[in-house]
Amino acid sequence: MKLDVKMNTADENLIHLNEISKHYEMGSTLVRALDGISVKIQRGDWVSFIGSSGSGKSTFLNILGCLDRPTRGEYFLNGVYVEELGPNQLAEIRNREIGFIFQSFNLLPRATALGNVMQPLVYRRIGHRRRREMAREALDRVGLGDRMDHLPNQLSGGQRQRVAIARALVTEPSILLADEPTGNLDSRTSADIMQLFDQLHSEGQTLILVTHEEDVAGLGDRVIELLDGKIIRDRRAGEPLH
Amino acid sequence: MFHVILESTRSALISILAHGLRSFLTTLGIVIGVASVVAVISLTQGMSAFIGESFSSLGSNSLTIQSYTPISEAMRGVRARLTPEDLELIERRAEGVASITPILYASRSSQVRHAAQTTFSQIMGTTYAYRDVAQAWVHSGRFIAESDNLTRRRVTVIGEKVRDDLGLPENPVNEYVELGGEWFKIIGLLEAKGDVMGFDQDDIVLVPYSTMRSLVGNQSQIDIQIQLSLSEQAAVDDVTRQLTALLRNAHNLEPDEDDDFRINTAEQLMETFDTIINMVTLVIGGIVSISLLVGGIGIMNIMLVSVTERTREIGICKAIGAKRHHILAQFLIEAMLLSLLGGLIGLALGYGLGTAISSSIDSFPPASIPLWAIALALGFSGFVGVLFGILPAAKAANLDPIDALRYE
Ligand SMILES: Nc1ncnc2c1ncn2[C@@H]1O[C@H](COP(=O)(O)OP(=O)(O)OP(=O)(O)O)[C@@H](O)[C@H]1O
Ligand SMILES: [Mg+2]
């Protein structure tokens, strides 16, 4: 990626956050959705962020995914100082470096499974045929090779989430970001999806997951607990809670 | 760039088709606008092509001279005239004239009678030269000859309409008709010419000029028309200038006085009609452009609605890497395609309308639509789409990704 921006090439971390805050002014009150978060994440890590509702998990993930900008703080992604990038450069980063998986799937309703997975490649200079090929591969990888021509509303929740994961994977991003990916799924389907994540992780994919379920969080290498926009605990998975 | 356009066109088509009825209703303003332009243009174009043909049948290199009394003169009781002396003068002095003929219109009733049938027609006294000047060929019988004029024969050549109106036989030669109380023998039937701008060229009765003169009472009041055709090498402008000088001199006009006659060419007449038609086209074009404007606003409105509806989708696209120009192109192209679609439907509809109108009115020329009008209609509707698509497209492109994603 050629970006004319401030770089910190000495930084070995894939993600380096320094005192990130996100404040919302709601009338006279100030909501501190994030309040001075500093964290480093290495390549190949699987990190789970856990916290109760309203603790700032989604806000945090949106900033990591370059969908949102922090009010204050520094964010280095792959050594690139993200805060200085313009909208189009951020779009480029979202397209190349980040795969986003949402709780509500966020598929394009009028496009087929295949079309949805091809869509991120549309924003690159990749020909139609090659796009198809890549999207097929990605769908095969998530076990949906036989549902390519279905529209989102012709798929089950678990299948939709698989399409969303395939869409996130097809660009071969540096990081997969998932915001409560199993939040809308039953426990069996959730287990399948988590198994898929586990497989991706074993293939070397960096994963950042947001959840409020302890057993989902426990599947990663590292669990970071948030409360009221602050990190209250950063532990290895499997470590006892208290 | 081509890549972006291709992809945007693909998704624009999908979204236009997804809302088939809404897309159609949206574009109705454009449909109506373009349909009316195309209908008007196809009609007027057919008309002017037709007029061109008609006038060449009048004799393209012929001139008509007639007296002209300005209103101010007429108020003083003065009437300009063109006299047989003027004719003689031109015959003697003018250069570049191939043939020349006087035309004397019947001053009183132009009633024509045969047996119990009566009709009114254009009765003209003229000479054998009229045939060449006016390209009037006989279908059967013969034309007026020089000897008919010398001996003031009571003979006549009639057009088909007169024959039909009077219930004369298919070949009316040697039948008799009554003109202004005198009996005339029919010696010829003219070839049918059809009509030019509502004037039936076949509703005509020709008699020898001298015969007509003897029938017209007061010789000193005679006002004739002179029709002449030019020899091949003569230029219309030169001859016109020459004739003007001759006649001004003969009529003793001072340099500051206006001509008391008019010299008309068939071409001039045609140009006049063309001017009128162009004006009509322009006026209607103006009215129509207002309807295109309204159509454009309709498109803008629905595109704004569409942007709002699809805010989440836009957010998704941005989240997976769409840049501003991707979103911009998609909505702009969608607006343009929508408008262009309206233009195409309007084009077909307008042409159909023009054809229907022209074929339902007798003697109306067939509708014809020139290529430039097609290009104009489509170009203009595409332009309207882009123009009114800019605002909604920019609105979509400028959405903040996180706000768009959160939009419920
Ligand atoms: N656009 C906004 N305007 C104002 N306040 C906001 C906005 N977005 C988030 N907040 C506030 O920031 C805080 C954190 O929100 P966030 O969505 O990050 O929580 P979360 O941890 O993802 O919760 P959940 O588990 O319910 O999804 C909440 O108190 C919320 O009200
Ligand atoms: Mg959340």
Side-chain angles (χ1 to χ4, degrees), chain B residues 114-129:
Chain B
H114 171 76
Q117 303 269 26
T118 314
T119 184
F120 288 87
S121 180
Q122 185 74 267
I123 304 176
M124 295 158 56
T126 188
T127 67
Y128 70 97

Side-chain angles (χ1 to χ4, degrees), chain B residues 9 12-13 15-31 34 295-304 306 310 330-346 378 381-386 388-389 392:
Chain B
T9 309
L13 277 178
S15 111
I16 287 173
L17 293 179
H19 297 113
L21 181 63
R22 183 168 98 180
S23 302
F24 175 72
L25 290 177
T26 302
T27 192
L28 212 55
I30 304 284
V31 171
V34 170
I297 293 171
I299 285 186
M300 177 159 73
N301 182 41
I302 217 69
M303 288 306 296
L304 283 171
S306 171
R310 277 145 68 187
Q330 179 180 341
F331 282 89
L332 257 190
I333 287 177
E334 191 171 324
M336 197 184 76
L337 280 182
L338 206 58
S339 184
L340 216 55
L341 210 71
L344 271 175
I345 298 173
L378 294 185
S381 51
F383 171 74
V384 165
V386 170
F388 288 94

